[in-house]
Amino acid sequence: MKYVSTRPSERKVDAAQAIVAGISHEGGLYVPESFPTFAPSDIQNMADMPYAARAKEVLSAFLTDYTPQELEECAQGAYAAERFGSDPAPVRQVADMHVLELWHGPTHAFKDMALQMLPRLMTRAVKKTKMDKEVLILVATSGDTGKAALEGFCGVEGTQVGVFYPVDGVSPAQKLQMITQEGKNVHVCAVEGNFDDAQTGVKRIFGDEGFAGELSGKGIVLSSANSINWGRLAPQVAYYFSAYADLIKSGAVEMGDEVNFCVPTGNFGNILAAYYAKRMGLPVGRLICASNENNVLYDFICQGVYDANRPFHKTTSPSMDILISSNLERLLFELCGRDQERVAQWMQALKTGGVYAVGEEVRAELARSFDAGWAGDEKALQAIARVQKSFGYTMDPHTAVAWAVAEEYRARTKDARPMVVVSTASPYKFSRSVLGALTGEAAVQELDEFACADELERVSGLTMPDSLRALRTKKQLHTGVVQPKDMMDEVRRWTE
Ligand SMILES: *Cc1c(COP(=O)(O)O)cnc(C)c1O
């Protein structure tokens, strides 16, 4: 399987090259040249496999330059019980919804599903491509990617990892997770601004050839652990197959029955993986894109116009506070018949004017697979309270956005196919918001972050993860803050 760029380029590369590079030369994103397909019997067979084996099946179809032995090691290592417990991606039945929980990894957000795998793929890719340089993984994070990347790459030979996060754009637990990270090859710095500022700054560093030359002189090459990296997306495709296999196993569906997925969306990586799964033969009905108040994707899916010129809202689901959704580029590439020129024009228009329109044909193609909805803070917090009160199930604010949108979708369309709500974080990463939803704003005002978590444990009955409890006593090691324009200098300091 070769990989091609979403923007004008003749180049075709192996998966290992795509993973090491992160982004293609001309600024495009790597996509598989074609979609491998799984027959119904292949999917049926997954029902009796543990998660690591399911992941290996999916990865084998994409990463054909890795040996089966290598992928076996990667999957067994990444999804080992000491990292994810007995089931990395369980599907829970909550009332008439199926909830796919993706937050049982070391940092308690769905980013672990890919970021425990990526370092394993990366170190092998470095060997395959015979690159004799150290890889510096640069990350812009809206909260969860940063910690998951630090945890994934910490101590990994031949790599360093550097994380930029928006100074006031992440939850207290997310921030503490990052600034207490130990390890010799890790760097963390806050950026004055929001996630888009941090992401734009990182993209600028990636695009600066002079700087790349400077780093090269120090024996360093940059790569990305954001979901623009193919090595992030491929592992995410696996859990959609896994969810379906679980539904077969539990008898909730029979092979071939279509299911809908409702995905809380920010950078469009998670839901794009679901679209890829559909293209590979997984019986998926609708993919419902759930946004918070930063509903640029909702408007795009409804109207075919992507317009990032709008106020940025800080919400209780900060990992979705994004106006420039990187992975949408990969979907556009598929929807317009893989026309690299057109994708480049849209991305140029986005860069210069913050807006582009895709036209009726592409919009119609989009509507064949996607639906969309959005829920503001109030609706999401009400969903947390309602679901907890009625069914004893506690959701984090991102999952709650998806739940509210899934309910609204059903009421609006009367679509009766099974619905899988994708659950992306542990409620304890957002204790204050979740507790506030359950007991009222007034009750949490006097409490500090840790008291909120304790009280949440009492009220919800859900056990707090040990690593989040341990944050209270950890030393804060990374306290730097920079302006967006100074991010490159910060990287220079890391590599001195
Ligand atoms: C990253 C994240 C999202 C958004 O995922 P995308 O792949 O960026 O669409 C949603 N919820 C949580 C908790 C996240 O960490």
Side-chain angles (χ1 to χ4, degrees):
M1 171 78 67
K2 297 281 183 187
Y3 291 81
V4 297
S5 173
T6 51
R7 300 195 199 173
S9 160
E10 295 285 302
R11 246 158 67 91
K12 291 183 182 178
V13 302
D14 286 329
Q17 287 169 292
I19 289 169
V20 169
I23 197 162
S24 179
H25 285 315
E26 68 302 318
L29 307 183
Y30 282 118
V31 289
E33 194 176 27
S34 62
F35 288 106
T37 51
F38 280 64
S41 58
D42 298 331
I43 300 170
Q44 181 87 46
N45 287 342
M46 285 187 191
D48 295 318
M49 297 179 188
Y51 188 81
R54 293 173 181 173
K56 188 199 159 193
E57 289 293 307
V58 173
L59 289 173
S60 304
F62 281 118
L63 310 181
T64 51
D65 49 330
Y66 288 68
T67 65
Q69 169 76 22
E70 283 176 318
L71 293 176
E72 175 76 23
E73 284 166 17
C74 288
Q76 293 295 347
Y79 302 116
E82 70 256 33
R83 294 192 175 76
F84 280 91
S86 57
D87 187 352
V91 178
R92 312 239 185 256
Q93 171 111 36
V94 181
D96 55 357
M97 302 271 191
H98 303 280
V99 182
L100 170 59
E101 291 183 351
L102 299 175
W103 41 267
H104 295 283
T107 77
H108 311 291
F110 91 92
K111 306 297 196 290
D112 289 325
M113 300 300 296
L115 279 163
Q116 284 298 313
M117 178 59 77
L118 179 65
R120 293 174 164 82
L121 299 177
M122 181 77 75
T123 48
R124 287 166 180 83
V126 167
K127 289 207 183 89
K128 284 176 195 299
T129 55
K130 303 202 168 47
M131 207 182 49
D132 56 353
K133 292 200 167 58
E134 189 175 50
V135 183
L136 170 56
I137 308 292
L138 268 198
V139 179
T141 184
S142 57
D144 291 322
T145 301
K147 177 61 180 179
L150 291 164
E151 196 65 38
F153 281 96
C154 171
V156 173
E157 186 117 12
T159 71
Q160 291 191 55
V161 51
V163 172
F164 289 106
Y165 69 92
V167 66
D168 292 319
V170 302
S171 83
Q174 289 177 317
K175 179 173 172 178
L176 271 179
Q177 279 187 304
M178 290 188 278
I179 67 175
T180 59
Q181 177 72 42
E182 295 164 7
K184 287 210 176 74
N185 65 335
V186 304
H187 313 277
V188 180
C189 183
V191 178
E192 294 281 0
N194 60 36
F195 171 71
D196 290 315
D197 296 315
Q199 176 160 260
T200 304
V202 164
K203 281 187 185 160
R204 186 153 14 94
I205 295 172
F206 274 115
D208 192 312
E209 287 184 19
F211 190 58
E214 187 184 323
L215 288 177
S216 181
K218 300 182 190 175
I220 292 171
V221 58
L222 291 177
S223 188
S224 166
N226 281 106
S227 51
I228 55 173
N229 192 315
W230 176 245
R232 271 276 308 268
L233 272 180
Q236 293 183 181
V237 178
Y239 51 71
Y240 289 101
F241 280 89
S242 175
Y244 194 89
D246 276 352
L247 291 177
I248 291 179
K249 199 170 176 174
S250 71
V253 303
E254 281 179 31
M255 185 60 225
D257 293 349
E258 288 186 344
V259 305
N260 299 327
F261 287 97
C262 186
V263 188
T265 306
N267 233 342
F268 212 77
N270 201 353
I271 196 167
L272 180 75
Y275 173 77
Y276 284 177
K278 181 174 163 80
R279 294 288 302 265
M280 292 163 71
L282 193 70
V284 175
R286 306 248 102 200
L287 296 169
I288 301 141
C289 175
S291 300
N292 65 22
E293 200 176 353
N294 295 294
N295 53 7
V296 59
L297 285 165
Y298 168 80
D299 287 346
F300 175 69
I301 290 171
C302 296
Q303 296 155 17
V305 179
Y306 194 98
D307 189 354
N309 300 311
R310 60 178 70 205
F312 178 90
H313 299 285
K314 274 175 63 170
T315 74
T316 54
S317 42
S319 299
M320 296 155 69
D321 290 347
I322 292 176
L323 292 179
I324 297 175
S325 218
S326 302
N327 269 302
L328 189 61
E329 177 168 350
R330 284 185 163 112
L331 179 66
L332 292 173
F333 181 72
E334 302 303 333
L335 297 179
C336 74
R338 304 198 140 203
D339 183 341
Q340 295 169 315
E341 295 288 347
R342 270 182 99 188
V343 173
Q345 281 162 12
W346 290 325
M347 292 304 116
Q348 189 55 39
L350 180 64
K351 197 169 167 186
T352 50
V355 56
Y356 60 88
V358 293
E360 206 33 57
E361 227 171 284
V362 171
R363 208 194 70 75
E365 193 57 36
L366 182 66
R368 281 160 49 102
S369 300
F370 288 86
D371 202 290
W374 71 280
D377 279 351
E378 203 182 311
K379 262 198 197 163
L381 298 178
Q382 280 168 2
I384 292 175
R386 197 157 23 85
V387 171
Q388 158 65 221
K389 192 160 167 245
S390 309
F391 315 116
Y393 184 77
T394 311
M395 299 184 291
D396 97 289
H398 303 75
T399 307
V401 166
W403 181 286
V405 167
E407 279 187 334
E408 178 273 326
Y409 168 82
R410 275 190 167 164
R412 170 164 52 86
T413 62
K414 312 283 184 278
D415 184 341
R417 288 173 285 193
M419 175 74 79
V420 179
V421 172
V422 176
S423 175
T424 49
S426 159
Y428 288 103
K429 292 197 92 164
F430 309 94
S431 299
R432 179 176 297 280
S433 302
V434 176
L435 183 66
L438 298 181
T439 62
E441 265 317 302
V444 297
Q445 241 156 39
E446 301 293 304
L447 304 179
D448 71 10
E449 188 61 19
F450 300 133
C452 285
D454 288 337
E455 186 62 8
L456 179 59
E457 191 165 41
R458 201 184 61 76
V459 172
S460 71
L462 181 72
T463 309
M464 191 186 325
D466 289 339
S467 70
L468 294 181
R469 195 187 307 275
L471 287 176
R472 335 185 150 197
T473 52
K474 283 199 127 182
K475 196 158 173 234
Q476 301 188 6
L477 303 165
H478 313 275
T479 50
V481 187
V482 296
Q483 295 293 327
K485 67 175 174 43
D486 297 326
M487 289 167 64
M488 198 179 285
D489 282 334
E490 182 67 16
V491 177
R492 274 200 187 94
R493 275 193 289 280
W494 295 344
T495 56
E496 261 157 21

